Amino acid sequence: MATSNPSVFLLTVNGQIEGADFPEYDNLYCKYCYVYGHDWAITTGLEEGITQITCKSSLSQTLVWNFPLETSFKSTNPSGWPQLVVSVYGPDVFGNDVVRGYGATHVPITPGQHTRTIPMFVPEPTWKLQKLTGWLLGRRPEYTDPKVVAQGEGREVTRVRSQGFVTVSFHITTKDMKKMGYDTGPCNLQTAASVDQPCTF
Amino acid sequence: MKDTEDSEEDSGETLKRTLRAQRQRRRRKLLEQSSVKESQHDDEDEEEVSAVQDQSVKEEPAEKTVALRPPSGSRRGYSLKPLPVSSSQKLDTFVTRHLEEKLRAARFKGESLQQEKEVSADPASRLQSLRGRDRVTRFDRETDSVKAEEDDVSVALSARVKFKEAAKRVNQGLPTANEAYNFFTFNFEPEPAEETEELRRKKRKQKETTEKDRDEDEGEEPEEDDKEDSQDPNENQSEETRLVPTEEDLFIIDQSARDFLEVKKAEYVGVKKRAARDSELLFTPSFRKAPTSVKLPENVKPRFIEDEGLYVGKRPSVSFTNETILENRLLKMEEGLEWFGDDGRILALPDPIKESSTRPPLFSMEGDLNPAIQTVFRKAQKSKYAADPEGDYQLDVEVFGLVFSHHPLFSREHVLASRLCQLYHQYLTRQQNNLTGHLTDKLNGLRNALGNMMKIHREESLTLSLQQRISEYSLEVRDTRQLRDSEQEKDRTLLKNIIKVWKEIKALREFQKFTNTPYKLLLRKENVDPASDQQEYEEEIQAEVMELEAEKEEDYQRSLAEYRKQLEEWKLWRKKQKAKRKKKKKKKKSQKLEDTTEDEDEEQEGSELEGPEDGPPKPQPPERPDFDAIEQQVKEKASKIRRKPGEAVLIPVLSASGNITDSELCPRVEVSRRQEVLRHSLFIKILCNDKKVSKTDSRPLGTDFRVHFGQIFNLRIITCPQSINLQVFEDTGSSSSLLAQVFVPAPEPSVVTGSASLEDFEFSSNQRVMFDHEGVGSDVPLSFEADGSNKVVLLTSGKLTCGVSWGVGDDDVPLAPSASQHPGVKHSGLGHLDAVTSIGASGLYDMKKIGEWAKQSRLDPNDPKNASIMQLLKVASSGEVTAPEYFRLEHLQEEFNFVTDEELDNSRRFRLLRLRNQGVKEFRNYKFIPALENEISDKVFQEYERRLKDGETVDTREHLDSHRALVAKYLQKIQESVMNRLLFAKHRFLLSDLVVEEEIPSIGNKVPVLLKAEKLDSLEHPRQNVRERDRADVNHMLKILGINLFKLTEPKRPLKPQRKERKKVTAQNLSDGDVKLLVNIIRAYDIPVRRPQSDKAGQSSQPAIHGSDWYLNQVQVRPFVEVSFQRTVLQTTTADGPNPSWNEELQLPFSAPNGDYSTSNLQSVKDEVFINIFDEMLHETGVNDKERGPSIHTQVEKHWLGSVRIPFSTIYSQSRIDGTFKVNTPAVLLGYSKERSHGANSGYDLLRSVSEGAFITLFITIEPQLVPGEPVREKFDSQEHERLLQAAEKFERKAAKRYPDRPCITTVIDLNGKTVFITRYIRPLNPPPEFLEAFPNNPQEATTLVARFVSLIPSLPDQVSFSGVCDLWTTCNQFLTLLAGDEEEHAVLLCNYFLSLGKRAWLIIGTAIPEGSTAYVLTHEQSRYLIWNPSSGQFYGQYDTFCPLQAVGCLVDADNVWFNIQEYASPMRMSFDVSKRKLWKPFFSGSFPHPGLSSVQPEELVYSRTDEAAAAELQDRIEKTLKDKIMEWRPRHPTRWNRYCNTTLKQFLPKLEQSRGQDVAEGHRHELQRLLGDYRVRVTAAQTHTESVEANTNRHVFPPDLRIPAAHVLLRDPTRHRGRVQHRRPQHPRIQRGVRPGCALLVDVRDVSLKAFQRRGFVRAGGRGEFAQPGRQLLQGEIGDLLTSRQIQVLQRTTSSKKRPAGITTIKKYIYCIKTTVLPHSLWEISSKNNL
């Protein structure tokens, strides 16, 4: 790859899944994966991962994972920009492992530090009896594929319930994007940080 | 305070300090108050003040020094520094202690200082003294520190002031302190009350003002005061505390609780005082409106922009009081005026709130909807009135009355009277309009203007523009005058006529001596002043004359000018002529001198005569106008059209007050007329759309020929009427006749009752009526003259007064159709609001209409809402050229386009992206589309473009013949169209696609279905059904709960585990390696066993073979199963005997093509699972290694016995395959026999041997379970009757409900994508005649032949071809033309043939293995039922165990569909008697009879012979391809083809076909073996269809063990194999060096109906041979009756040189040969009657 005339640009995502806020649940763990378009590929790093199980402490009601994310992407086309899909699981009253939330966010496009708070949701059972049996048997409805939450198609048939929040912090580095004609906005770290969504805890 | 002012550097710290100081001050004050007696002296004040001054003065310079010098710069600053830093208490105490010591040491100095101060007590010198002191502190080090401390305390440590104070009090007792600080304590002992302090401060202030001569900064003081005023009174003491010498704080040692206590009088401020103070501080805006003048800058009048026509948006509504409050508040502000607009109101943006909400109301999807807004399902209902669904309008027709202007019963007087009336009406309207007056006024105005203009500009020369204007004016004057004249003339004639008619009436009355009409005309005279009138008249005439003269003059001038011009021209021309003539003359002179002048004259004359012909004629001067005549003319005209001057103005007044002569006084004729009139009565019929709606009451005709009805009719209509017709009927006692019709236009929607006015409609009738009485009749000539001249013909006519309007509903809604529905759309009223409703959407494109509408509705051009329309209109009106011919809502869109569309189209990158997005096959999974255009090569598109181009052209190379190629193309097209249809459905998701939920059969879903079903059923047995349903529901519920709860306790590892439903996985998150194919091979039955070697004919070593025969009988066969799928081959262990049981699970990896695991792609996977059964043969090769001692080498060979092929698509759609399959065994399997034994075992075998062939029990599934494609959820359109479709749907639904596992099909989709009822496919169709001719005596044979014929038509599953679950049914001729189809097509064709053969045949819709849901054919022959598998041509008895048909869903014949409602679905356990209603539920029954559906099938099928040459060519091609392929697979070894074998097998093949693929007779085998002589030969035969040569060579022709790609196996190192070969060689023998088997392929292809298919034989002999001699023979037998194909036979034979007796030649070569043949006479073609 000639540096003067690049044919791909690179996007490096460093960061961590910091933690979550699920007021009702405890002992949760989180799975993450990336969803990206045809023109994207992961060059280094893990595409998906699973965190440890974390418990709430008596002092803080926040679940803390601090699970590092380190992935580099290469791409030729900003379309299909990577999305981080997180899904949180944990045991229910009977000890069955059930899903506690799905959520997705786009990897920020501006270089710099970003913090994202992802609202989480789970699919609802189709009817009440199912809800009861699902609760009894620990078989809550789940998405066939967590990646569904990163796309729009077919979502209209589902109904979901909000659950909690997951906080992810990103450190974004890009390479060659400007050379290829994509200006992703402020490179100034201060402005980038101020643009960020504030943490809502 | 001052600190903060001064030291800007560390204001934060000083703030801290001051705060602290305040705190302590407060505390100190407390102490003071509690502990110190208040002994005050009067003079103290003064003293104090001085002290204050002193202190403040002392303090300030110190501060200044601090401020001026940076701390590090001076020693003092240095000493100061730690103090501000030490903000904590600890440090403070530490510092104070430290300072304490220092202070003590410095005490004397302090005393001396104090004295010094006291000395210099006078204020004037204070500063000087201070300065001096300052200097002292600088020089003296000790005092410096103390002083610094002192200063500092006031500055920094003032925080502890209170403590200091307290300490001071405590320490006051100490004499030293007293001495040292006498001055201070003395001053501050008494603590005055607040008021006094206030006072004091005021005094101090006064004093300070007086002491202005001081150097002190004055600005500070007042500021300080201001601040303190606003602060708490406590704070006032800060001033004071600061005055206190702060050394005191050094003595802070401890504090008591009392320190914090403050006891003090409750503060009270009087109400009035407070109010006064409040009013000082607070501002309460008044509620009264401020006058506008205040709000505007001075001398500015309010200006209302709206009145000036500028657009002003609607202001948001604010309550009046709030607005005035705000205004008043703003007025108080300095810049408040900025907030007011020009109109004196507060500036406001337009109200952003829309009047109507743009968002539709949201309803929560939860169940708790308000019942009021709950939607109720109403089935769509076709309107009875078809046309307009909206309907329900009300049309009010008011019939007021009618007046005849002529009636047959009119008397002469009536006629005149009505004429008079008309004239008078005319007169009145004219008077009302007063056109003459208007015009006269206008004329005068114009004249004045003209006169003025002339007067003004008389002196100056007229400019051109002015002249223009004047001429325009005079032109105008002329026109107006002419108009006025004509109007005046009309008036005059009208008046004259009125008078004339009146005179006639009078004459008539006189003549007939009675009066019929009450009319009376009075002429009122209005006298005028004759003189003025005369003058006016004269003036008028004068003015006119002058004007006319001027005009004439002008005309004259103009024509004169014209004349002059022409004359000029003429003269010019004349001159020229003359010059010419002169020239001529000169010439002539030179030529002939003798020419006389006369001649010249003549010539001249001649030329003159000639001249006018060429040139312009001499113009005639215009005549001067005759001005006298003008005056005369004017006067004449005036006398004609105008009142004479002085003549009275006549005003006619018509009144109906006259008396009518009584009937008695009239003559008889008149009386009879009057009686006649009374007999007449009139009524009106109202017709709407030519239908009589109503009629009025009959009303008598009055003597004045007026009829009053006054009736209103409310018409309830549903469409806007095309016509409203009022028919006037005349009722003459006995009969009524239609007099006239009046058509009333339908009113505009805006015309509603109440607002509508009555209108007059004239009508007339051309009826001829004559009377013998006085009535004048109608259409009869009538004369009023005595001599009968001047006849007029009068027709019955009149005026009908009526009104038509739209009714108004209860809620004031006009019951009128919307404007768009209105037939004659005229716009007014309502249309003003919205352009679209006004002129209709189509009108938007019509510029003119928009313009008209905009004008009508008076759009505000400044309203931004109308900006676009105004812009458009402006463009449209400014010039026709620029007006666009389209109306674009986003006319700025173009400016936002990045590039033009062409550029986008040309961009390769965008094209690539677009194609990928469209899901074009080539690009669907294209990764990494380059970011830059130039990185994309054109090659990317080549393939795609070629495919597009090839869409039209047909590539014949890949196909066996052109027909096949065409068919393939056609199929492709259908596939595309079906794909397009499916595309939409595919993007619709169900919940189950996205969410995994525990499968609980839902009652919620069931109930509605049941309810509906129940409704439909309820006619039959209502009550029972309801009860059943309830019970079923409850049971269902309990079952679900029970089962699920029971599951919790079920054992983890049950003894007999059952196959559970697994979690389904959608394909989207799969990748290679995730999916595995699980093949569970359980057991097999009736594997062929090895035949004793004795069968080998012509062998010499008979006894030896007999010996081995015994041995072989012991080990009949050692079969194992090898499963190959997608290049993976796995095998089971070897079992023993013909009925082995393996029970082994094999896992084969599956990878989808292109890594695309989408449903559509998986469905189109064409891979097949090959399950091959081999026999493992062990050969002991004996000792061959001398060095290592004697050892036995065993050689393992595998002999192919048969195979089962299961397409992946079947597994995918079935999700699992479980059952026993018939193994596809070769027709000829040399060396093996199907018979269990040769008589060794007894009768048991006989029982078993009913089954033919071997069977294998398998369980195949995919792990994880993939979701099979859903059937298309799209309703196709249909030509079937709606009722039939509904019934079919209901039938299927009920069937699915009761027996979900039994397939039920009533409607299918044909190739055009239309829904067709299934019975239309069943119709007797003729098979090819040869079948019938072949066995004229044996119908059974013919039947099997037909079945075989059908079975040989290639099968192509719909899933593969259409990549979606969409079962298309083709008709039989389509099927035969396409030569490809599903099981259903085969079954339909077979069924139709059977019907044609006269059998009773049905189509079975059922499930079978491995096909799943499929179609079979059932025939009833000789009291037993036979089940035919159309794909194989085999039939089974009803009770055949090995019948692949597992369940029967329904039976179909040409007339009906029966659904199986028996307890069991298995054919063995059920009855096929469809006449039993309890077992079979018919679709068409008594309640719904067969409507007589016609068949979609053709009348008959036409067959034609195939082209023999083409067949021969095909034969050659197949042969060649096969040969090439085999050679290709063995690249390292030369392949030779054996001709001997060819000829041998040539004789054999036709016999094979004769047996129709069944086991060859024993004789044949012997013959074969004899033919092949020396070789041990095993023959296998298999059958395949041809699709294309390419496909076959890859997939079908060769058994999989041959096919396992050569590269894969052959590329292994042969030497390594040799080493291992000794022990076990699982590989194919062909690749073993040591064995060198020969392989012969014999291919024989027969083509029937251009349906080429082949039989394949595979012959192989085991044994380790050094050479192989394959043979191949082409058999070209005479099998006239057979239209079917031949086998490809592969004969393979190897012999071991070691085992071979001597004398037999060995050939160390592989020899292959392939030949195909097509039997020419048996080729048939379906005529291409059904054009594709």
Side-chain angles (χ1 to χ4, degrees), chain B residues 552-563:
Chain B
K552 284 268 158 71
E553 179 66 34
E554 204 181 315
D555 280 349
Y556 171 72
Q557 290 300 339
R558 208 183 301 122
S559 47
L560 203 66
E562 187 83 355
Y563 161 74

Side-chain angles (χ1 to χ4, degrees), chain B residues 641-683:
Chain B
I641 64 168
R642 244 170 260 165
R643 195 162 46 83
K644 295 240 162 42
E647 196 181 275
V649 179
L650 289 178
I651 299 170
V653 178
L654 189 70
S655 66
S657 57
N659 289 327
I660 297 170
T661 320
D662 284 344
S663 298
E664 294 93 63
L665 304 174
C666 295
R668 207 171 48 81
V669 279
E670 172 60 20
V671 172
S672 65
R673 187 195 70 83
R674 287 190 185 184
Q675 279 166 355
E676 182 84 28
V677 168
L678 288 178
R679 268 211 302 281
H680 275 71
S681 62
L682 287 159
F683 64 90

Side-chain angles (χ1 to χ4, degrees), chain B residues 518-555:
Chain B
Y519 295 112
K520 251 186 187 175
L521 188 78
L522 297 174
L523 285 173
R524 211 171 66 224
K525 275 187 191 168
E526 265 182 30
N527 287 323
V528 285
D529 180 21
S532 65
D533 205 35
Q534 178 72 31
Q535 197 189 340
E536 242 172 63
Y537 185 75
E538 287 299 326
E539 269 173 18
E540 176 66 36
I541 285 175
Q542 273 312 309
E544 201 174 329
V545 166
M546 264 168 67
E547 275 165 26
L548 279 175
E549 274 173 6
E551 277 162 27
K552 284 268 158 71
E553 179 66 34
E554 204 181 315
D555 280 349

Side-chain angles (χ1 to χ4, degrees), chain B residues 451-464:
Chain B
N452 285 345
M453 211 183 286
M454 298 296 274
K455 214 188 282 172
I456 291 166
H457 296 287
R458 180 135 304 171
E459 304 85 43
E460 300 124 51
S461 58
L462 297 174
T463 59
L464 197 71

Side-chain angles (χ1 to χ4, degrees), chain B residues 1577-1593:
Chain B
V1577 176
R1578 250 192 354 263
V1579 178
T1580 58
Q1583 172 190 328
T1584 180
H1585 306 300
T1586 53
E1587 285 156 18
S1588 71
V1589 178
E1590 197 64 27
N1592 269 334
T1593 47

